[in-house]
Amino acid sequence: MSQEIRVDFAHRVVFTRGLFDPANRVLVDSLRGGAPRAVAFLDSGLAAARPDLESKLRSSLDGRDGRPSLLEVSIVPGGEVCKSDREVVDAVVTSVDRHHLCRRSWVIAIGGGAVLDAVGYGASIAHRGVRLVRIPTTVLAQDDAAMGVKNGINRFGKKNFEGVFAVPWAVLVDSDLLATLSDRHWRSGFSEAVKISLLRDEAFFRQIELDADDLRQRRLERAIPVIRRCAELHLDHIANGGDPFESREARPLDFGHWSAHKLEQLTSFELCHGEAVSIGIALDTQYSVELGWLPQQESDRVANCLLRLGLPICHPSLSDPRLLEGIEEFREHLGGKLTVTMLRSIGAPQDVNELRSDLISRAIASISSRSTEFSKT
Ligand SMILES: NC(=O)c1ccc[n+]([C@@H]2O[C@H](COP(=O)([O-])OP(=O)(O)OC[C@H]3O[C@@H](n4cnc5c(N)ncnc54)[C@H](O)[C@@H]3O)[C@@H](O)[C@H]2O)c1
Ligand SMILES: [Zn+2]
């Protein structure tokens, strides 16, 4: 006896500015209709850079006029370290217990992609799921991580080994929160925009190419449309791609990611996710050339664009023989047959079911030589 089960989810995403200003109603309006209790978890990097934020948050959620009461604001370690063990996840679950939160109460996660992943995982397992509001505060979290339905932490030295798919209650994106971000983490978020433009939207890639210097130099008015377009494309994939919980073998938006996840691990996370993705994009774009699919000048365009964004396209760990273990780890994570996306042309992806080590070596040699060549120009 088998039955089909259909479930509808709402994925609420709001773009705003000045989210914590008293006149801004977005946060308060997003928390209507639930229980009047909330807890918040704040990325330590953001908390240090914005000491005013905690009190602004507390005064927005003061229990008056139907607003929930904010019962706790916890500062959690920002960056990949918060995904390295269960400490943050346990802190969220414990907080839900201590403050008697029910499933209709609120867990608010404010921070970079790593904090959103770990806090979101805690929120999704307490009572099998308390309402999660994500407030992303890095470029990468705003243009990619917060849009997804994935939550989790690293285990056994493997990225995102433990986690769940869970749709957040709301995602509130405020570009003003990016002001305090380091240059490094500002730049690294644009690799996901390059990635999705190569897969989905050639005109968007041309726009990024055109604006690359402005984006590197943190011109916010140029960056906002790029972040937003990237977020929309990720959201569209979740909502309309037909496989939000990834039951198929292909993971179409993971261009460049088989090597990126392994490079993060091989460098003990010295490379951050966005940088590793940039190198992975350069590698798989050149692999597409080695396959005889993509013209060399298109791969040069991509490498040049990444370099102008201030992103790396190469790293000594690319020659570590353990890099190739990333292929099997990628397959095992998804299950079934190995399926990796390559490029026929910019905006035209195609899946392959094997990765040839001789072509990978040639692609690495090629991007290594161009990395030095382009950085001189
Ligand atoms: N769930 C998903 O679908 C998904 C998608 C893409 C990436 N990710 C994950 O996201 C993580 C990377 O996220 P990231 O690139 O946002 O980096 P990050 O979360 O590691 O944060 C980078 C640094 O910026 C600091 N920071 C955050 N916001 C700040 C601000 N506004 N001002 C000052 N400092 C600030 C943090 O404390 C940290 O030190 C990886 O773990 C990656 O696997 C998840
Ligand atoms: Zn990614």
Side-chain angles (χ1 to χ4, degrees):
M1 189 164 56
S2 84
Q3 288 277 309
E4 194 145 315
I5 302 176
R6 287 169 195 272
V7 187
D8 287 330
F9 293 96
H11 196 343
R12 307 166 184 86
V13 179
V14 185
F15 293 87
T16 185
R17 306 276 302 254
L19 178 67
F20 299 112
D21 293 349
N24 188 313
R25 306 281 312 163
V26 168
L27 178 61
V28 171
D29 288 346
S30 301
L31 305 189
R32 287 204 184 284
R37 305 170 88 77
V39 291
F41 293 85
L42 197 55
D43 186 308
S44 61
L46 176 70
R50 289 285 308 270
D52 59 315
L53 220 58
E54 182 176 335
S55 63
K56 283 189 158 176
L57 185 61
R58 283 187 187 278
S59 44
S60 306
L61 303 178
D62 55 5
R64 285 185 299 122
D65 307 328
R67 300 168 194 190
S69 300
L70 190 58
L71 303 166
E72 177 182 345
V73 180
S74 274
I75 314 283
V76 294
E80 203 66 26
V81 68
C82 77
K83 290 174 67 174
S84 64
D85 56 34
R86 313 191 92 257
E87 212 167 290
V88 171
V89 178
D90 283 343
V92 176
V93 174
T94 305
S95 171
V96 168
D97 174 54
R98 186 177 339 120
H99 297 293
H100 303 285
L101 265 59
C102 68
R103 280 189 189 162
R104 295 166 65 84
S105 309
W106 309 95
V107 171
I108 305 171
I110 311 172
V115 165
L116 300 187
D117 273 1
V119 173
Y121 180 39
S124 66
I125 58 175
H127 295 310
R128 299 198 183 97
V130 175
R131 291 180 180 183
L132 171 71
V133 176
R134 291 181 181 150
I135 302 179
T137 65
T138 64
V139 171
L140 190 137
Q142 295 195 351
D143 72 9
D144 178 354
M147 301 300 138
V149 293
K150 293 187 266 195
N151 307 272
I153 55 172
N154 307 330
R155 290 290 303 276
F156 315 113
K158 293 173 183 162
K159 282 283 290 186
N160 308 324
F161 187 90
E162 181 176 330
V164 296
F165 294 104
V167 184
W169 182 266
V171 182
L172 313 180
V173 184
D174 175 2
S175 41
D176 291 342
L177 290 170
L178 302 175
T180 54
L181 202 55
S182 67
D183 284 344
R184 182 183 180 200
H185 287 106
W186 165 272
R187 292 190 300 256
S188 68
F190 290 103
S191 60
E192 300 283 7
V194 172
K195 173 204 76 178
I196 205 152
S197 73
L198 294 175
L199 297 171
R200 290 289 152 92
D201 186 347
E202 207 237 333
F204 184 35
F205 178 68
R206 270 189 274 118
Q207 185 196 336
I208 298 172
E209 259 185 320
L210 207 63
D211 291 344
D213 296 325
D214 284 343
L215 295 173
R216 189 186 66 250
Q217 288 161 15
R218 302 186 71 143
R219 303 245 192 288
L220 191 61
E221 298 317 316
R222 287 263 186 255
I224 289 172
V226 172
I227 292 169
R228 189 166 175 150
R229 177 73 184 139
C230 179
E232 280 166 1
L233 287 166
H234 278 98
L235 190 60
D236 178 67
H237 175 75
I238 298 286
N240 303 313
D243 191 24
F245 302 139
E246 297 181 359
S247 52
R248 295 185 201 136
E249 286 160 347
R251 201 150 77 169
L253 298 192
D254 269 3
F255 182 60
H257 276 61
W258 73 265
S259 57
H261 285 164
K262 194 67 192 176
L263 284 170
E264 288 180 77
Q265 189 197 106
L266 289 174
T267 61
S268 305
F269 299 98
E270 176 213 301
L271 277 175
C272 67
H273 183 71
E275 292 166 338
V277 168
S278 175
I279 297 167
I281 291 170
L283 177 60
D284 285 359
T285 306
Q286 185 59 30
Y287 187 94
S288 306
V289 175
E290 306 301 335
L291 275 174
W293 289 4
L294 194 71
Q296 182 62 52
Q297 58 272 32
E298 295 292 76
S299 176
D300 289 351
R301 266 177 83 191
V302 173
N304 226 340
C305 177
L306 292 166
L307 289 167
R308 279 179 50 222
L309 286 164
L311 290 165
I313 59 166
C314 193
H315 190 275
S317 291
L318 280 174
S319 48
D320 189 319
R322 290 172 296 173
L323 181 76
L324 296 185
E325 292 168 11
I327 300 171
E328 174 52 17
E329 285 171 16
F330 191 75
R331 189 206 64 75
E332 196 173 293
H333 189 61
L334 296 177
K337 216 169 38 193
L338 174 72
T339 309
V340 178
T341 305
M342 294 294 163
L343 296 177
R344 278 277 174 197
S345 63
I346 292 178
Q350 186 169 322
D351 289 344
V352 295
N353 297 115
E354 68 159 345
L355 286 176
R356 282 175 47 187
S357 55
D358 57 329
L359 298 189
I360 293 173
S361 302
R362 272 165 47 186
I364 291 172
S366 170
I367 57 171
S368 306
S369 67
R370 276 176 310 139
S371 173
T372 27
E373 189 187 318
F374 284 159
S375 56
K376 283 189 214 127
T377 56

